[in-house]
Coordinates of all heavy atoms in Angstrom, one line a residue:
M1004 N -4.4 -13.9 18.8 CA -5.7 -13.6 19.3 C -5.6 -12.5 20.4 O -4.7 -12.6 21.3 CB -6.4 -14.8 19.9 CG -7.8 -14.6 20.4 SD -9.1 -14.2 19.2 CE -9.1 -15.6 18.3
N1005 N -6.5 -11.5 20.3 CA -6.4 -10.5 21.3 C -6.8 -11.0 22.7 O -7.8 -11.7 22.9 CB -7.5 -9.4 20.9 CG -7.4 -8.2 21.7 OD1 -7.1 -8.2 22.9 ND2 -7.8 -7.1 21.1
D1006 N -5.9 -10.7 23.7 CA -6.1 -11.2 25.1 C -7.3 -10.6 25.7 O -7.8 -11.1 26.7 CB -4.9 -10.8 25.9 CG -3.7 -11.6 25.6 OD1 -3.9 -12.7 25.0 OD2 -2.6 -11.3 26.0
D1007 N -7.9 -9.5 25.1 CA -9.1 -8.9 25.7 C -10.3 -9.8 25.5 O -11.3 -9.7 26.2 CB -9.3 -7.6 25.1 CG -10.4 -6.8 25.8 OD1 -10.3 -6.7 27.1 OD2 -11.3 -6.3 25.1
Y1008 N -10.2 -10.8 24.6 CA -11.3 -11.7 24.3 C -11.2 -12.9 25.1 O -10.2 -13.5 25.2 CB -11.3 -12.0 22.8 CG -11.9 -10.9 21.9 CD1 -11.2 -9.7 21.7 CD2 -13.1 -11.0 21.3 CE1 -11.7 -8.7 20.9 CE2 -13.6 -10.0 20.5 CZ -12.9 -8.8 20.3 OH -13.4 -7.8 19.6
V1009 N -12.4 -13.3 25.7 CA -12.4 -14.6 26.4 C -13.6 -15.4 25.9 O -14.5 -14.9 25.4 CB -12.7 -14.3 27.9 CG1 -11.5 -13.5 28.5 CG2 -14.0 -13.5 28.2
T1010 N -13.4 -16.7 26.0 CA -14.4 -17.7 25.6 C -15.6 -17.6 26.5 O -15.5 -17.8 27.7 CB -13.8 -19.1 25.6 OG1 -12.7 -19.2 24.7 CG2 -14.9 -20.1 25.1
A1011 N -16.8 -17.2 25.9 CA -18.0 -17.0 26.7 C -19.0 -18.1 26.5 O -19.8 -18.3 27.3 CB -18.6 -15.7 26.3
A1012 N -18.9 -18.9 25.4 CA -19.8 -19.9 25.1 C -19.3 -20.8 23.9 O -18.3 -20.4 23.3 CB -21.2 -19.3 24.7
Q1013 N -20.0 -21.9 23.7 CA -19.7 -22.6 22.5 C -20.8 -22.3 21.4 O -21.9 -21.9 21.8 CB -19.8 -24.1 22.8 CG -18.8 -24.6 23.8 CD -17.4 -24.5 23.3 OE1 -17.0 -25.1 22.4 NE2 -16.6 -23.6 24.0
V1014 N -20.4 -22.4 20.2 CA -21.4 -22.0 19.1 C -22.7 -22.7 19.3 O -23.8 -22.1 19.2 CB -20.8 -22.3 17.7 CG1 -21.8 -22.2 16.6 CG2 -19.6 -21.4 17.4
G1015 N -22.7 -24.0 19.7 CA -23.9 -24.8 19.8 C -24.7 -24.4 21.0 O -25.9 -24.9 21.2
D1016 N -24.2 -23.6 21.9 CA -24.9 -23.2 23.1 C -26.0 -22.2 22.8 O -26.9 -22.0 23.6 CB -24.0 -22.5 24.2 CG -23.0 -23.5 24.8 OD1 -23.2 -24.7 24.7 OD2 -22.0 -23.0 25.3
V1017 N -25.9 -21.5 21.7 CA -26.8 -20.4 21.4 C -27.4 -20.7 20.0 O -26.8 -20.4 19.0 CB -26.1 -19.0 21.4 CG1 -27.1 -17.9 21.4 CG2 -25.2 -18.8 22.6
A1018 N -28.6 -21.3 20.0 CA -29.2 -21.6 18.7 C -29.5 -20.4 18.0 O -29.8 -19.3 18.5 CB -30.4 -22.4 19.0
P1019 N -29.5 -20.4 16.6 CA -29.9 -19.3 15.8 C -31.3 -18.8 16.3 O -32.2 -19.6 16.5 CB -30.0 -19.8 14.4 CG -29.0 -21.0 14.4 CD -29.1 -21.6 15.8
G1020 N -31.4 -17.5 16.4 CA -32.7 -16.9 16.8 C -32.9 -16.8 18.3 O -34.0 -16.5 18.7
T1021 N -31.9 -17.1 19.1 CA -32.0 -17.1 20.5 C -30.9 -16.3 21.1 O -29.9 -15.9 20.5 CB -32.0 -18.5 21.1 OG1 -30.7 -19.1 21.0 CG2 -33.0 -19.4 20.5
G1022 N -31.1 -16.0 22.4 CA -30.1 -15.3 23.2 C -29.7 -16.2 24.5 O -30.5 -17.1 24.9
K1023 N -28.6 -15.8 25.1 CA -28.1 -16.6 26.3 C -27.3 -15.6 27.1 O -26.5 -14.8 26.6 CB -27.3 -17.7 25.8 CG -26.7 -18.5 27.0 CD -25.8 -19.6 26.4 CE -25.1 -20.4 27.5 NZ -26.0 -21.2 28.3
A1024 N -27.6 -15.6 28.4 CA -26.8 -14.8 29.4 C -25.5 -15.5 29.7 O -25.5 -16.7 30.0 CB -27.6 -14.5 30.6
V1025 N -24.4 -14.8 29.6 CA -23.1 -15.3 29.9 C -22.4 -14.3 30.8 O -22.7 -13.1 30.8 CB -22.3 -15.7 28.7 CG1 -22.9 -16.7 27.8 CG2 -22.0 -14.4 27.8
V1026 N -21.3 -14.8 31.5 CA -20.5 -13.9 32.3 C -19.2 -13.7 31.6 O -18.5 -14.7 31.3 CB -20.4 -14.4 33.7 CG1 -19.4 -13.5 34.5 CG2 -21.7 -14.5 34.4
V1027 N -18.8 -12.5 31.4 CA -17.5 -12.1 30.8 C -16.8 -11.2 31.8 O -17.3 -10.0 31.9 CB -17.6 -11.5 29.4 CG1 -16.3 -11.1 28.9 CG2 -18.3 -12.5 28.5
G1028 N -15.7 -11.6 32.4 CA -15.1 -10.8 33.4 C -16.1 -10.5 34.5 O -16.6 -11.5 35.1
D1029 N -16.3 -9.3 34.8 CA -17.3 -9.0 35.9 C -18.6 -8.5 35.4 O -19.4 -7.8 36.1 CB -16.7 -8.0 36.9 CG -16.3 -6.7 36.2 OD1 -16.4 -6.5 35.0 OD2 -15.8 -5.8 36.9
R1030 N -18.9 -8.8 34.1 CA -20.1 -8.3 33.5 C -21.0 -9.4 33.0 O -20.5 -10.4 32.6 CB -19.8 -7.3 32.4 CG -18.9 -6.2 32.8 CD -18.6 -5.3 31.6 NE -19.8 -4.4 31.4 CZ -19.7 -3.1 31.0 NH1 -18.5 -2.6 30.8 NH2 -20.7 -2.4 30.8
E1031 N -22.3 -9.2 33.1 CA -23.2 -10.2 32.5 C -23.6 -9.7 31.1 O -24.0 -8.5 31.0 CB -24.5 -10.3 33.4 CG -25.3 -11.5 33.0 CD -26.4 -11.9 34.0 OE1 -26.0 -11.9 35.2 OE2 -27.5 -12.1 33.6
I1032 N -23.4 -10.6 30.2 CA -23.5 -10.2 28.8 C -24.7 -11.1 28.2 O -24.8 -12.2 28.5 CB -22.2 -10.6 28.0 CG1 -21.0 -9.9 28.6 CG2 -22.4 -10.3 26.5 CD1 -21.0 -8.4 28.4
A1033 N -25.5 -10.4 27.3 CA -26.5 -11.1 26.6 C -25.8 -11.4 25.2 O -25.5 -10.5 24.5 CB -27.7 -10.3 26.4
L1034 N -25.7 -12.7 24.9 CA -25.1 -13.2 23.7 C -26.3 -13.6 22.7 O -27.1 -14.4 23.2 CB -24.2 -14.3 24.0 CG -23.2 -14.8 22.9 CD1 -22.3 -13.7 22.5 CD2 -22.4 -16.0 23.5
F1035 N -26.3 -13.1 21.5 CA -27.4 -13.4 20.6 C -26.8 -14.0 19.3 O -25.7 -13.6 18.9 CB -28.2 -12.2 20.2 CG -28.9 -11.5 21.4 CD1 -28.3 -10.4 22.0 CD2 -30.1 -12.0 21.8 CE1 -28.9 -9.8 23.1 CE2 -30.7 -11.4 22.9 CZ -30.1 -10.3 23.5
N1036 N -27.6 -15.0 18.8 CA -27.2 -15.6 17.5 C -28.3 -15.3 16.5 O -29.4 -15.7 16.7 CB -27.1 -17.1 17.7 CG -26.8 -17.9 16.4 OD1 -26.9 -17.3 15.3 ND2 -26.4 -19.1 16.5
V1037 N -28.0 -14.5 15.5 CA -28.9 -14.1 14.5 C -28.4 -14.7 13.2 O -27.5 -14.2 12.5 CB -29.1 -12.6 14.3 CG1 -30.1 -12.2 13.2 CG2 -29.5 -11.9 15.7
D1038 N -29.0 -15.8 12.8 CA -28.6 -16.6 11.6 C -27.1 -16.8 11.5 O -26.5 -16.6 10.5 CB -29.1 -15.8 10.4 CG -30.6 -15.7 10.3 OD1 -31.3 -16.6 10.8 OD2 -31.1 -14.7 9.8
G1039 N -26.5 -17.2 12.7 CA -25.1 -17.5 12.7 C -24.2 -16.3 12.9 O -23.0 -16.5 13.1
C1040 N -24.8 -15.1 13.0 CA -24.0 -13.9 13.3 C -24.2 -13.6 14.8 O -25.4 -13.5 15.3 CB -24.5 -12.8 12.5 SG -23.4 -11.3 12.6
F1041 N -23.1 -13.5 15.6 CA -23.2 -13.3 17.0 C -23.1 -11.9 17.4 O -22.3 -11.1 16.8 CB -22.2 -14.1 17.7 CG -22.5 -15.6 17.8 CD1 -22.2 -16.4 16.7 CD2 -23.1 -16.2 18.9 CE1 -22.5 -17.8 16.7 CE2 -23.4 -17.5 18.9 CZ -23.1 -18.3 17.8
Y1042 N -23.9 -11.5 18.4 CA -23.8 -10.1 19.0 C -23.7 -10.2 20.5 O -24.3 -11.1 21.1 CB -25.1 -9.3 18.6 CG -25.3 -9.1 17.2 CD1 -26.0 -10.0 16.4 CD2 -24.8 -8.0 16.5 CE1 -26.3 -9.9 15.1 CE2 -25.1 -7.8 15.2 CZ -25.8 -8.7 14.5 OH -26.0 -8.5 13.1
A1043 N -23.0 -9.3 21.1 CA -22.9 -9.3 22.6 C -23.3 -7.9 23.1 O -22.7 -6.9 22.7 CB -21.5 -9.7 23.0
L1044 N -24.3 -7.9 24.0 CA -24.7 -6.6 24.6 C -24.7 -6.8 26.1 O -24.9 -7.9 26.6 CB -26.2 -6.3 24.2 CG -26.4 -5.7 22.8 CD1 -26.2 -6.7 21.7 CD2 -27.9 -5.2 22.8
E1045 N -24.6 -5.7 26.8 CA -24.8 -5.8 28.3 C -26.2 -6.4 28.5 O -27.2 -6.0 27.9 CB -24.8 -4.3 28.8 CG -24.8 -4.2 30.3 CD -24.6 -2.7 30.6 OE1 -24.1 -1.9 29.8 OE2 -24.9 -2.4 31.8
N1046 N -26.3 -7.3 29.5 CA -27.6 -8.0 29.6 C -28.6 -7.2 30.4 O -29.8 -7.5 30.3 CB -27.3 -9.3 30.4 CG -28.5 -10.3 30.4 OD1 -29.3 -10.3 29.4 ND2 -28.7 -10.9 31.5
T1047 N -28.2 -6.2 31.1 CA -29.1 -5.5 32.0 C -29.7 -4.3 31.3 O -29.1 -3.3 30.9 CB -28.4 -5.0 33.3 OG1 -27.7 -6.1 33.9 CG2 -29.3 -4.4 34.2
C1048 N -31.1 -4.3 31.1 CA -31.8 -3.2 30.5 C -31.6 -2.0 31.3 O -31.8 -2.0 32.6 CB -33.2 -3.6 30.4 SG -34.2 -2.3 29.6
P1049 N -31.3 -0.8 30.7 CA -31.1 0.4 31.4 C -32.4 1.0 32.0 O -32.4 1.9 32.8 CB -30.5 1.4 30.4 CG -30.9 0.8 29.1 CD -31.0 -0.7 29.3
H1050 N -33.6 0.4 31.6 CA -34.9 0.9 32.2 C -35.0 0.5 33.6 O -34.8 1.3 34.5 CB -36.0 0.4 31.3 CG -37.4 0.9 31.8 ND1 -38.5 0.1 31.7 CD2 -37.8 2.0 32.4 CE1 -39.5 0.7 32.3 NE2 -39.1 1.9 32.7
Q1051 N -35.3 -0.8 33.9 CA -35.4 -1.3 35.2 C -34.7 -2.6 35.4 O -35.0 -3.3 36.4 CB -36.9 -1.4 35.6 CG -37.6 0.0 35.7 CD -39.0 -0.1 36.2 OE1 -39.5 -1.2 36.5 NE2 -39.7 1.0 36.2
G1052 N -33.7 -2.9 34.6 CA -32.8 -4.0 34.8 C -33.3 -5.3 34.2 O -32.8 -6.4 34.6
G1053 N -34.2 -5.3 33.3 CA -34.7 -6.5 32.7 C -33.6 -7.3 32.0 O -32.6 -6.7 31.5
P1054 N -33.7 -8.6 31.9 CA -32.7 -9.4 31.2 C -32.8 -9.5 29.7 O -33.7 -10.2 29.2 CB -32.9 -10.8 31.9 CG -34.4 -10.8 32.1 CD -34.8 -9.4 32.4
L1055 N -32.0 -8.8 29.0 CA -32.1 -8.7 27.6 C -31.9 -10.0 26.9 O -32.5 -10.3 25.8 CB -31.2 -7.6 27.0 CG -31.5 -6.2 27.4 CD1 -30.5 -5.2 26.8 CD2 -32.9 -5.8 27.1
A1056 N -31.2 -10.9 27.5 CA -30.9 -12.2 26.9 C -32.2 -13.0 26.7 O -32.3 -13.9 25.9 CB -29.9 -13.0 27.7
E1057 N -33.2 -12.6 27.5 CA -34.5 -13.3 27.5 C -35.5 -12.6 26.6 O -36.7 -12.9 26.6 CB -35.1 -13.5 28.9 CG -34.2 -14.4 29.7 CD -34.7 -14.5 31.2 OE1 -35.9 -14.2 31.5 OE2 -33.8 -14.8 32.1
G1058 N -35.1 -11.5 25.9 CA -35.9 -10.7 25.1 C -36.3 -11.4 23.8 O -35.8 -12.5 23.5
W1059 N -37.1 -10.6 23.0 CA -37.5 -11.1 21.7 C -36.6 -10.5 20.7 O -36.3 -9.3 20.6 CB -39.0 -10.6 21.4 CG -39.9 -11.1 22.5 CD1 -40.4 -12.3 22.7 CD2 -40.5 -10.2 23.5 NE1 -41.3 -12.3 23.8 CE2 -41.4 -11.0 24.3 CE3 -40.4 -8.9 23.8 CZ2 -42.1 -10.5 25.3 CZ3 -41.2 -8.4 24.9 CH2 -42.0 -9.2 25.6
I1060 N -36.1 -11.4 19.8 CA -35.2 -11.0 18.7 C -36.1 -10.8 17.5 O -36.8 -11.7 17.1 CB -34.1 -12.0 18.5 CG1 -33.3 -12.3 19.8 CG2 -33.2 -11.6 17.4 CD1 -32.4 -13.5 19.7
D1061 N -35.9 -9.7 16.8 CA -36.6 -9.5 15.5 C -35.5 -8.8 14.6 O -35.2 -7.7 14.8 CB -37.8 -8.5 15.8 CG -38.5 -8.3 14.5 OD1 -38.3 -9.1 13.5 OD2 -39.4 -7.4 14.4
G1062 N -35.1 -9.6 13.7 CA -34.0 -9.1 12.8 C -32.8 -8.8 13.6 O -32.3 -9.7 14.4
A1063 N -32.3 -7.6 13.5 CA -31.1 -7.2 14.3 C -31.4 -6.4 15.5 O -30.7 -5.5 15.9 CB -30.1 -6.5 13.4
E1064 N -32.6 -6.6 16.1 CA -33.0 -5.9 17.3 C -33.5 -6.9 18.4 O -34.0 -7.9 18.1 CB -34.1 -4.9 16.9 CG -33.8 -3.9 15.9 CD -34.9 -3.1 15.4 OE1 -36.1 -3.3 15.8 OE2 -34.7 -2.1 14.6
V1065 N -33.3 -6.4 19.6 CA -33.9 -7.2 20.7 C -34.8 -6.3 21.5 O -34.5 -5.2 21.8 CB -32.8 -7.8 21.6 CG1 -31.9 -6.8 22.3 CG2 -33.4 -8.8 22.7
T1066 N -35.9 -6.9 21.9 CA -36.9 -6.2 22.8 C -36.9 -6.7 24.2 O -37.0 -8.0 24.4 CB -38.3 -6.3 22.2 OG1 -38.3 -5.8 20.9 CG2 -39.3 -5.6 23.0
C1067 N -36.7 -5.9 25.2 CA -36.7 -6.3 26.6 C -38.0 -7.0 26.9 O -39.1 -6.5 26.6 CB -36.4 -5.0 27.4 SG -36.4 -5.4 29.2
P1068 N -37.8 -8.1 27.6 CA -39.1 -8.9 28.0 C -39.9 -8.2 29.1 O -41.1 -8.6 29.3 CB -38.5 -10.2 28.5 CG -37.1 -9.9 29.0 CD -36.6 -8.8 28.1
W1069 N -39.4 -7.2 29.7 CA -40.2 -6.6 30.8 C -41.1 -5.5 30.4 O -42.3 -5.5 30.7 CB -39.2 -6.1 31.9 CG -38.7 -7.2 32.8 CD1 -38.8 -8.5 32.6 CD2 -37.9 -7.0 34.0 NE1 -38.1 -9.2 33.5 CE2 -37.6 -8.3 34.4 CE3 -37.4 -5.9 34.7 CZ2 -36.8 -8.6 35.6 CZ3 -36.7 -6.2 35.8 CH2 -36.4 -7.5 36.3
H1070 N -40.6 -4.5 29.6 CA -41.5 -3.4 29.2 C -41.3 -3.0 27.8 O -41.6 -1.9 27.4 CB -41.3 -2.2 30.1 CG -41.2 -2.5 31.6 ND1 -40.0 -2.6 32.2 CD2 -42.2 -2.7 32.5 CE1 -40.2 -2.9 33.5 NE2 -41.5 -3.0 33.7
A1071 N -40.6 -3.8 27.0 CA -40.5 -3.7 25.6 C -39.7 -2.5 25.1 O -40.0 -2.1 24.0 CB -41.9 -3.7 25.0
W1072 N -38.7 -2.1 25.8 CA -37.7 -1.2 25.2 C -36.9 -2.0 24.2 O -36.6 -3.2 24.5 CB -36.8 -0.6 26.2 CG -37.3 0.5 27.0 CD1 -38.7 0.8 27.2 CD2 -36.6 1.5 27.8 NE1 -38.8 1.9 28.1 CE2 -37.6 2.3 28.4 CE3 -35.2 1.7 28.0 CZ2 -37.2 3.4 29.3 CZ3 -34.9 2.8 28.8 CH2 -35.8 3.6 29.4
T1073 N -36.6 -1.5 23.0 CA -36.0 -2.2 22.0 C -34.6 -1.6 21.6 O -34.5 -0.4 21.5 CB -36.9 -2.3 20.7 OG1 -38.1 -2.9 21.1 CG2 -36.3 -3.1 19.6
F1074 N -33.6 -2.5 21.5 CA -32.3 -2.0 21.2 C -31.7 -2.7 20.0 O -32.0 -3.9 19.7 CB -31.4 -2.4 22.4 CG -31.8 -1.8 23.7 CD1 -32.7 -2.5 24.5 CD2 -31.4 -0.6 24.1 CE1 -33.2 -2.0 25.7 CE2 -31.8 0.0 25.3 CZ -32.7 -0.7 26.1
K1075 N -30.9 -1.9 19.2 CA -30.2 -2.5 18.1 C -29.1 -3.4 18.5 O -28.2 -2.9 19.3 CB -29.7 -1.4 17.1 CG -30.9 -0.6 16.6 CD -30.3 0.6 15.7 CE -31.4 1.5 15.2 NZ -30.9 2.7 14.5
L1076 N -29.0 -4.6 18.0 CA -27.9 -5.5 18.4 C -26.5 -4.9 18.0 O -25.6 -5.2 18.7 CB -28.1 -6.9 17.8 CG -29.4 -7.6 18.3 CD1 -29.6 -8.9 17.5 CD2 -29.4 -7.8 19.8
A1077 N -26.5 -4.2 16.9 CA -25.2 -3.8 16.4 C -24.5 -2.8 17.3 O -23.3 -2.8 17.5 CB -25.3 -3.3 15.0
D1078 N -25.3 -1.8 17.8 CA -24.6 -0.7 18.5 C -25.3 -0.4 19.9 O -24.9 0.5 20.6 CB -24.5 0.5 17.7 CG -25.9 1.1 17.3 OD1 -26.9 0.7 17.8 OD2 -25.9 2.0 16.4
G1079 N -26.3 -1.1 20.3 CA -27.0 -1.0 21.6 C -27.8 0.3 21.7 O -28.3 0.5 22.8
T1080 N -28.1 1.0 20.6 CA -28.9 2.1 20.7 C -30.4 1.7 20.7 O -30.8 0.7 20.2 CB -28.7 3.1 19.5 OG1 -28.9 2.4 18.3 CG2 -27.3 3.7 19.6
M1081 N -31.2 2.6 21.3 CA -32.7 2.3 21.3 C -33.3 2.7 20.0 O -32.8 3.6 19.3 CB -33.3 3.2 22.4 CG -33.2 2.6 23.8 SD -34.3 3.5 24.9 CE -35.9 2.8 24.4
T1082 N -34.3 2.0 19.7 CA -35.0 2.3 18.4 C -36.0 3.4 18.6 O -36.3 4.1 17.6 CB -35.8 1.0 17.9 OG1 -36.7 0.7 18.9 CG2 -34.8 -0.1 17.6
L1083 N -36.4 3.7 19.8 CA -37.5 4.7 20.0 C -36.9 6.1 20.3 O -37.7 7.1 20.4 CB -38.4 4.3 21.1 CG -39.2 3.1 20.8 CD1 -40.1 2.7 22.1 CD2 -40.1 3.3 19.6
G1084 N -35.6 6.2 20.6 CA -35.1 7.5 20.9 C -33.7 7.4 21.4 O -33.1 6.3 21.4
E1085 N -33.1 8.5 21.7 CA -31.6 8.4 22.1 C -31.4 8.6 23.6 O -30.3 8.9 24.0 CB -30.9 9.6 21.3 CG -31.0 9.4 19.8 CD -30.1 10.4 19.1 OE1 -29.7 11.4 19.8 OE2 -29.9 10.3 17.9
F1086 N -32.4 8.3 24.4 CA -32.3 8.6 25.8 C -31.6 7.4 26.6 O -31.4 7.5 27.8 CB -33.6 9.0 26.5 CG -34.7 8.1 26.2 CD1 -35.0 7.0 27.0 CD2 -35.5 8.3 25.1 CE1 -36.1 6.2 26.7 CE2 -36.6 7.5 24.8 CZ -36.9 6.4 25.6
A1087 N -31.4 6.3 25.9 CA -30.7 5.2 26.6 C -30.0 4.3 25.6 O -30.4 4.2 24.4 CB -31.7 4.4 27.4
R1088 N -29.0 3.6 26.0 CA -28.4 2.6 25.2 C -27.7 1.6 26.1 O -27.5 1.9 27.3 CB -27.4 3.2 24.2 CG -26.2 3.8 24.8 CD -25.2 4.2 23.8 NE -24.5 3.1 23.1 CZ -23.4 2.6 23.6 NH1 -22.8 3.0 24.7 NH2 -22.8 1.6 22.9
V1089 N -27.4 0.4 25.6 CA -26.6 -0.5 26.4 C -25.2 -0.7 25.7 O -25.1 -0.5 24.5 CB -27.3 -1.9 26.5 CG1 -28.5 -1.8 27.3 CG2 -27.6 -2.4 25.1
D1090 N -24.2 -1.1 26.5 CA -22.9 -1.3 25.9 C -23.0 -2.5 25.0 O -23.7 -3.5 25.3 CB -21.9 -1.5 27.0 CG -21.4 -0.2 27.6 OD1 -21.6 0.8 27.0 OD2 -20.9 -0.3 28.8
T1091 N -22.1 -2.5 24.0 CA -22.0 -3.7 23.1 C -20.5 -4.1 23.2 O -19.6 -3.3 23.5 CB -22.4 -3.3 21.7 OG1 -21.6 -2.3 21.2 CG2 -23.8 -3.0 21.6
F1092 N -20.3 -5.3 22.8 CA -18.9 -5.9 22.9 C -18.6 -6.7 21.6 O -19.5 -7.3 21.0 CB -18.9 -6.9 24.1 CG -19.3 -6.2 25.4 CD1 -20.6 -6.0 25.8 CD2 -18.3 -5.8 26.3 CE1 -20.9 -5.4 27.0 CE2 -18.6 -5.2 27.5 CZ -19.9 -5.0 27.8
G1093 N -17.3 -6.7 21.3 CA -16.9 -7.4 20.1 C -17.0 -8.9 20.3 O -16.9 -9.4 21.4
V1094 N -17.4 -9.6 19.3 CA -17.5 -11.1 19.3 C -16.7 -11.7 18.1 O -16.8 -11.1 17.0 CB -19.0 -11.5 19.2 CG1 -19.1 -13.0 19.3 CG2 -19.9 -10.8 20.2
V1095 N -16.0 -12.7 18.4 CA -15.4 -13.5 17.3 C -15.7 -14.9 17.5 O -15.8 -15.4 18.7 CB -13.8 -13.3 17.2 CG1 -13.5 -11.8 16.9 CG2 -13.1 -13.6 18.5
V1096 N -15.9 -15.6 16.4 CA -16.1 -17.1 16.5 C -14.8 -17.7 16.1 O -14.2 -17.5 15.1 CB -17.2 -17.5 15.6 CG1 -17.3 -19.1 15.6 CG2 -18.6 -16.9 16.0
D1097 N -14.3 -18.6 17.0 CA -12.9 -19.2 16.8 C -13.1 -20.7 17.0 O -13.2 -21.2 18.1 CB -12.0 -18.6 17.9 CG -10.6 -19.2 17.8 OD1 -10.3 -19.8 16.8 OD2 -9.8 -19.1 18.8
G1098 N -13.3 -21.4 15.8 CA -13.7 -22.8 15.9 C -15.1 -22.9 16.5 O -16.1 -22.3 16.0
D1099 N -15.2 -23.7 17.6 CA -16.5 -23.8 18.3 C -16.6 -22.8 19.4 O -17.7 -22.7 20.0 CB -16.6 -25.2 18.9 CG -16.9 -26.3 17.9 OD1 -17.5 -25.9 16.8 OD2 -16.6 -27.4 18.1
D1100 N -15.6 -22.0 19.6 CA -15.7 -21.0 20.7 C -16.2 -19.7 20.3 O -15.9 -19.2 19.2 CB -14.2 -20.7 21.3 CG -13.6 -21.9 22.0 OD1 -14.4 -22.8 22.4 OD2 -12.4 -21.9 22.2
V1101 N -17.1 -19.1 21.1 CA -17.6 -17.8 20.9 C -16.9 -16.9 21.9 O -17.0 -17.1 23.1 CB -19.1 -17.7 21.1 CG1 -19.6 -16.2 20.8 CG2 -19.8 -18.6 20.2
R1102 N -16.0 -16.0 21.4 CA -15.2 -15.2 22.3 C -15.7 -13.8 22.3 O -16.0 -13.2 21.2 CB -13.7 -15.3 21.8 CG -13.2 -16.7 21.9 CD -11.8 -16.9 21.3 NE -10.8 -16.0 21.8 CZ -10.1 -16.3 22.9 NH1 -10.2 -17.5 23.5 NH2 -9.2 -15.5 23.3
V1103 N -15.8 -13.2 23.5 CA -16.3 -11.9 23.6 C -15.3 -11.0 24.3 O -14.6 -11.4 25.2 CB -17.6 -12.0 24.5 CG1 -18.2 -10.6 24.8 CG2 -18.7 -12.9 23.9
S1104 N -15.3 -9.8 23.8 CA -14.3 -8.8 24.4 C -14.8 -8.4 25.8 O -16.0 -8.3 26.1 CB -14.3 -7.5 23.5 OG -13.6 -6.5 24.2
R1105 N -13.8 -8.2 26.7 CA -14.1 -7.8 28.1 C -14.4 -6.3 28.1 O -14.9 -5.7 29.0 CB -12.9 -8.1 29.0 CG -12.9 -9.5 29.5 CD -11.8 -9.6 30.5 NE -10.6 -9.7 29.9 CZ -9.7 -10.7 30.1 NH1 -10.0 -11.7 31.0 NH2 -8.5 -10.7 29.5
S1106 N -13.9 -5.6 27.0 CA -14.1 -4.1 27.0 C -15.2 -3.7 26.1 O -15.3 -4.3 24.9 CB -12.8 -3.5 26.5 OG -11.7 -3.9 27.3
P1107 N -16.1 -2.8 26.5 CA -17.2 -2.4 25.6 C -16.6 -1.7 24.4 O -15.6 -1.0 24.5 CB -18.1 -1.5 26.4 CG -17.2 -1.1 27.6 CD -16.2 -2.2 27.8
K1108 N -17.4 -1.7 23.3 CA -17.0 -0.9 22.1 C -17.3 0.6 22.5 O -18.1 0.9 23.3 CB -17.9 -1.3 20.9 CG -17.7 -2.7 20.4 CD -18.7 -2.9 19.2 CE -18.7 -4.3 18.7 NZ -19.7 -4.5 17.7
P1109 N -16.6 1.5 21.8 CA -16.9 2.9 22.0 C -18.4 3.2 21.6 O -19.0 2.5 20.8 CB -16.0 3.6 21.0 CG -15.0 2.6 20.6 CD -15.6 1.2 20.8
A1110 N -19.0 4.1 22.3 CA -20.4 4.5 22.0 C -20.4 5.0 20.6 O -19.5 5.7 20.2 CB -20.8 5.5 23.0
P1111 N -21.5 4.7 19.9 CA -21.6 5.3 18.5 C -21.7 6.8 18.6 O -22.3 7.3 19.5 CB -22.9 4.7 18.0 CG -23.7 4.2 19.2 CD -22.7 3.9 20.3
S1112 N -21.1 7.5 17.6 CA -21.2 8.9 17.6 C -22.6 9.3 17.1 O -23.3 8.7 16.3 CB -20.2 9.5 16.7 OG -20.3 8.9 15.4
R1113 N -23.1 10.4 17.7 CA -24.5 10.9 17.3 C -24.4 11.8 16.2 O -23.5 12.6 16.0 CB -25.1 11.6 18.5 CG -25.1 10.7 19.8 CD -26.5 10.1 19.9 NE -26.6 9.3 21.1 CZ -27.2 8.1 21.1 NH1 -27.7 7.6 20.1 NH2 -27.3 7.4 22.3
Ligands
LIG2496 S1 -36.7 -3.2 32.2 FE1 -36.3 -3.3 30.1 S2 -38.0 -2.1 29.3 FE2 -38.2 -2.0 31.4

């Protein structure tokens, strides 16, 4: 197992269709369960800091609960334009453990 990954939650902590804020290293991460597939994004919305873990999940997107900026769970890009994105992190499920990378994935190429 890659040492960069740390246990952030148990599978049962994040019900399908919900999100949960967790701490990984020195970052707050929004962990989402979409039909058993887990995604990890930086929890802090780049607009004014809204908590993305409390946002609305629709398919593979999350909408910030404060002013409705929407981000793709897979790569953190905005759905409305390219002026902001959030970091995303690798996730592996290891038994009951949900393990999240401490290092963000590279930004998607434009
Ligand atoms: S803080 Fe997220 S949309 Fe404004």
